[in-house]
Amino acid sequence: MAEAERIIGTPDTPDAAGEGQERPDAEPEREQQEQQEQAPERTRGKRRVAVLFAVALFAYLLDLGSKMLVVAKLEHHEPIEIIGDWLRFAAIRNAGAAFGFGEAFTIIFTVIAAAVIVVIARLARKLHSLPWAIALGLLLGGALGNLTDRIFRAPGVFEGAVVDFIAPKHFAVFNLADSAIVCGGILIVILSFRGLDPDGTVHKD
């Protein structure tokens, strides 16, 4: 009998029968394990996107509220001195880019602002870095703030003049949207120099 079993190759245990072959239920188990491993990454990504849009909303509402207040209380009035003549609030309408540059290219700057918003929205899909979420949120909020002026303010749609009111001495007049854009840009430069990518990976050049 023992010799017959040796020749036939009858397995002594159930595991021996499947040796060298993958169990039928191994693939679903592997997929389930991969899904469990990816779940924390997806959750973190959603949180970073939420931070991006929260920062953008805060920057946008702050800029919008400040402009509404300036138009209602400061436009066509004397400037308000905050720190002597070193810093004043003076309402002006700016048809150019940030800090009053390029007034002859209003429509071009409007298109650029819209393109920046689209790029940020697409980039948000692979966002896993908190600093990048804050930086992109500042850029998005600032771009939306000035784009709102371009669309809804005089002299016309996509040609509207942006409301600026922060007037430091010997410097261009700007608004909170410009400040958000500049701060977001500076933060992005710093993150890039440090090798931190939007997806959270760090690379060394």
Side-chain angles (χ1 to χ4, degrees), residues 30 45 71 80 89 150 170 199 202:
R30 186 183 302 109
V71 171
I80 299 175
F89 285 167
R150 302 288 187 200
H170 305 309
D199 61 0
V202 179

Side-chain angles (χ1 to χ4, degrees), residues 85-145:
D85 62 347
W86 288 96
L87 178 62
R88 301 185 304 167
F89 285 167
I92 68 168
R93 297 295 182 107
N94 169 26
F99 304 106
F101 299 117
E103 294 186 4
F105 304 98
T106 306
I107 296 180
I108 295 177
F109 291 131
T110 303
V111 173
I112 292 174
V116 168
I117 293 171
V118 172
V119 170
I120 293 174
R122 292 175 61 88
L123 189 59
R125 294 181 300 177
K126 59 177 183 178
L127 185 64
H128 288 84
S129 167
L130 179 59
W132 270 95
I134 295 173
L136 293 177
L138 290 172
L139 282 180
L140 180 59
L144 284 172

Side-chain angles (χ1 to χ4, degrees), residues 37-77:
E37 293 174 351
Q38 294 174 357
E41 289 295 322
R42 288 196 296 266
T43 301
R44 188 176 68 170
K46 292 179 180 178
R47 289 176 180 173
R48 298 299 181 258
V49 172
V51 170
L52 187 158
F53 287 112
V55 172
L57 181 62
F58 177 77
Y60 175 74
L61 293 179
L62 193 62
D63 175 70
L64 182 63
S66 66
K67 289 174 179 175
M68 293 175 63
L69 185 62
V70 165
V71 171
K73 302 295 184 181
L74 187 58
E75 199 168 36
H76 308 303
H77 292 77

